[in-house]
């Protein structure tokens, strides 16, 4: 089933035309990787999917993005509800300066939940899902900032999961981490895709090849090629794609 | 650069640093030595417990409590006025206002701080007090309420500007994390950004308090010069600073006991602010540990 459907999306920052006629669709319970050199528009496109670009004053979008058959830029859409459904994990781990427990409970609390048992239960489940429970179950009240970078990033994933999204956007989630932490995150993504639809921006070609089923290559604001990951990496149709994945530029 | 010039510059820098330290030490020395003379004649016990302060009358009493209560009362009123406005303004400017608006409104707010305090004093006496009298029965011409409110208005820019700096220093990534989970601007502002900036906000509040405690002109003009042990904001009160002004401007004889009361009052003020700074320092440390 198609979950995300972008149709002729154009994005401008003031006079700067940063995304040009992007059309693509993403299926449920898959991992899709966005690759391309810096400034190609892949992160901008990712951020249109949960309307994170709304906070940039000069941002303007044309075209249509549908999630679950609903235009997310439609007038009646509540961004808050959209973002509960479309969670996001950022490049640098950004836990709140609160306890580990409070970090994961935050999403539920802002929805107005007061049920202590429900919150505790959801916190535990989310931390387990993010493969962090074993490491933090005895220090839930300690500050999240006392965790290592890799643990912090898994905490941010747990925090996102606690809101029960159906889509998780990841913006280079492992680029600030060491190889071991990166491997853990990748493992995690692998497990999560059975339940969630994951869209990941990455600079790491091997990572894209390892974890994604489909890959989209962006270049200078264009979607050059979008295909099965195996196709993109073994049999790219475009010269630009081939040049990029073989490391000739970018 | 030559070694000798280097040394000269170093010496100059060290000297500038030393000047401020020496000035502080000198002030403490003068305060201590002059008030020492005072406490030779008035016991510390009666200074701290006597409920009247009448050094300039024939029936002399030297109890600091009325001056202290006046200081605390006006400061409290100032704080109650400044806090809600100061914090709201800082949150609005930092989290809601468009960039261009913030850039133009912040300097405008800061000019409030550039108004001479004597102007604020007369503003309190001739505008605020008559206005308050129109609906508060029993409000005397000189009163703690009006002086406190105006003092509060005076420290709003200080609190809002410093708090706004603290809020702005909170990394953008925390706001994004909050928005990314479906939080509204309001939730993000008050559940993430304000707590993360709490130590900075606390510092702004404490600086506001010290400013209010040390403020002289407004209270000297509008709060009256009548040391009374009261916590009724409608009454005339006298603060420690206002008393010092009153006596310094009068014709008390140099070296007399009346003269020495200035230093006794001064050292009380000093102890007061010193304690406050200590408390704030500890509070700040506690907050920071919480987030480490």
């Amino acid at each position: 089933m198609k979950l995300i459907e972008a149709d002729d999306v154009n994005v401008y920052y003031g006079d700067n035309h940063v995304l040009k006629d992007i059309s693509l669709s993403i299926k449920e319970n898959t991992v899709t990787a966005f690759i391309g050199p810096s400034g190609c528009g892949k992160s901008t496109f990712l951020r249109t999917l949960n309307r994170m670009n709304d906070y940039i004053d000069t941002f303007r979008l044309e075209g249509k993005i549908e999630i679950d058959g609903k235009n997310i830029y439609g007038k009646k859409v509540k961004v808050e509800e959209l973002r509960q459904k479309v969670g996001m994990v950022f490049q640098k781990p950004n836990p709140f300066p609160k306890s580990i427990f409070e970090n994961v409970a935050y999403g539920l609390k802002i929805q107005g939940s007061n049920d202590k048992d429900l919150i505790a239960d959801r916190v535990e489940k989310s931390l387990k899902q993010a493969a962090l429970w074993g490491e933090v179950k005895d220090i839930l009240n300690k500050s999240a900032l006392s965790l290592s970078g890799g643990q912090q990033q898994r905490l941010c994933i747990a925090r996102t999961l606690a809101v029960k999204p159906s889509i998780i956007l990841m913006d280079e989630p492992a680029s600030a981490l060491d190889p071991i932490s990166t491997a853990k995150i990748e493992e995690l993504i692998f497990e999560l895709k059975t339940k969630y639809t994951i869209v990941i921006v990455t600079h790491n070609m091997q990572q894209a090849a390892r974890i994604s089923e489909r890959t989209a290559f962006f270049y200078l604001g264009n979607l050059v090629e979008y295909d099965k990951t195996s196709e993109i990496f073994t049999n790219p149709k475009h010269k630009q794609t081939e040049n990029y994945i073989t490391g000739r530029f970018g | 650069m030559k070694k000798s010039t280097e040394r000269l510059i170093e010496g100059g820098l060290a000297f500038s640093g030393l000047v401020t330290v020496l000035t502080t030490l000198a002030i403490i020395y003068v305060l201590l030595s002059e008030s020492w003379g005072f406490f030779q004649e008035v016991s510390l016990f009666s200074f701290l417990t006597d409920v009247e302060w009448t050094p300039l009358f024939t029936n002399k009493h030297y109890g600091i409590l009325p001056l202290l209560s006046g200081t605390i009362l006006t400061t409290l009123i100032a704080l109650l006025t400044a806090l809600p406005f100061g914090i709201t303004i800082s949150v609005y400017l930092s989290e809601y206002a468009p960039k261009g608006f913030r850039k133009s409104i912040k300097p405008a707010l800061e000019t409030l701080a550039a108004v001479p305090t004597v102007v604020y004093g007369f503003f309190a006496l001739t505008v605020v007090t008559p206005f308050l009298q129109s609906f508060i029965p029993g409000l005397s011409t000189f009163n703690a309420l009006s002086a406190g409110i105006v003092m509060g208005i005076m420290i709003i820019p200080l609190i809002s500007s410093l708090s706004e700096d603290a809020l702005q220093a909170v990394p953008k990534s925390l706001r994004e994390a909050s928005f990314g989970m479906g939080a509204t601007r309001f939730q993000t502002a008050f559940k993430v950004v304000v707590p993360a900036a709490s130590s900075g906000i606390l510092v702004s509040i404490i600086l506001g308090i010290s400013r209010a405690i040390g403020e002289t002109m407004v209270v000297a003009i509008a709060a009256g010069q009548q040391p009374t042990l009261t916590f009724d904001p409608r009454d005339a009160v006298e603060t420690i600073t206002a008393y010092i002004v009153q006596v310094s401007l009068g014709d008390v004889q140099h070296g007399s006991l009346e003269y020495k009361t200035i230093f006794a009052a001064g050292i009380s003020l000093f102890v007061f602010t010193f304690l406050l700074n200590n408390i704030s320092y500890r509070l700040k440390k506690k907050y920071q540990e919480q987030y480490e």
Side-chain angles (χ1 to χ4, degrees), chain A residues 47 52 55 80 83-84 86 90 94-98 106-107 110 143 145 159 163, chain B residues 173-174 176-185 187-188 191-192 196 290-292:
Chain A
R47 283 163 169 258
M52 266 326 242
Y55 299 103
E80 289 81 26
R83 292 191 188 131
Q84 282 165 21
V86 187
F90 298 82
N94 53 357
F96 301 125
K98 301 172 186 283
Y106 180 77
I110 55 171
S143 168
L145 302 180
R159 182 174 69 179
V163 192
Chain B
S173 65
L174 287 186
E176 286 196 324
S178 175
F179 288 138
M181 295 171 74
T184 60
R185 261 182 202 272
Q187 287 168 329
T188 303
K191 295 198 170 177
V192 174
Q290 210 176 327
Y291 287 133
E292 257 161 26

Side-chain angles (χ1 to χ4, degrees), chain B residues 38-253:
Chain B
F38 173 83
F39 286 115
Q40 296 293 65
E41 292 173 57
V42 177
S43 79
L44 185 63
F45 181 76
S46 69
F47 178 70
L48 291 177
T49 55
D50 199 329
V51 292
E52 274 181 84
W53 177 262
T54 54
L56 305 178
F57 296 175
T58 22
N59 179 18
K60 291 185 194 311
H61 282 276
Y62 300 98
I64 192 74
L65 287 179
L67 293 184
L68 214 54
S69 75
T71 305
I72 294 173
L73 183 61
T74 48
T75 301
L76 249 154
I77 295 168
L79 211 59
L80 287 177
T81 314
L83 259 193
F85 287 105
I87 303 293
T88 319
I89 290 170
S90 68
V91 170
Y92 172 73
L93 286 182
S94 163
E95 306 302 308
Y96 288 86
K99 238 189 217 158
F101 181 70
R102 184 170 83 223
K103 274 192 185 142
S104 57
I105 200 76
K106 220 183 157 186
L109 200 63
E110 274 157 11
T111 52
L112 256 186
V115 176
T117 54
V118 65
V119 175
Y120 277 108
F122 279 98
F123 175 66
L125 184 64
T126 59
V127 179
V128 179
T129 300
F131 169 71
L132 292 175
Q133 274 171 333
S134 67
F135 59 91
I136 300 177
L139 191 73
S140 45
T141 313
F142 298 103
N143 62 80
L145 185 62
S146 160
I149 289 174
V150 170
M151 216 152 71
I153 295 172
M154 214 173 74
I155 59 174
I156 285 174
L158 180 87
I159 292 184
S160 62
S161 181
L162 286 174
S163 297
E164 202 246 356
D165 290 344
L167 293 170
Q168 281 290 303
V170 174
K172 206 177 118 216
S173 65
L174 287 186
R175 294 185 182 85
E176 286 196 324
S178 175
F179 288 138
M181 295 171 74
T184 60
R185 261 182 202 272
F186 185 80
Q187 287 168 329
T188 303
F190 285 97
K191 295 198 170 177
V192 174
V193 184
V194 170
S198 59
S199 58
I201 293 173
L202 206 71
V203 169
S204 83
I205 294 170
I206 281 151
L207 284 177
I209 296 178
S210 349
R211 176 82 198 275
I213 289 177
E215 170 50 35
T216 312
M217 279 323 268
V218 176
V219 282
I221 294 170
Q225 302 196 325
Q226 215 172 299
T228 2
L229 184 56
T230 174
F231 278 99
D232 186 342
R234 292 171 305 174
D235 287 348
V237 296
E238 183 163 46
T239 65
I240 298 176
T241 51
Y243 172 75
I244 295 175
V245 172
Q246 185 194 357
V247 177
S248 320
L249 294 179
D251 46 5
V252 295
Q253 206 183 346

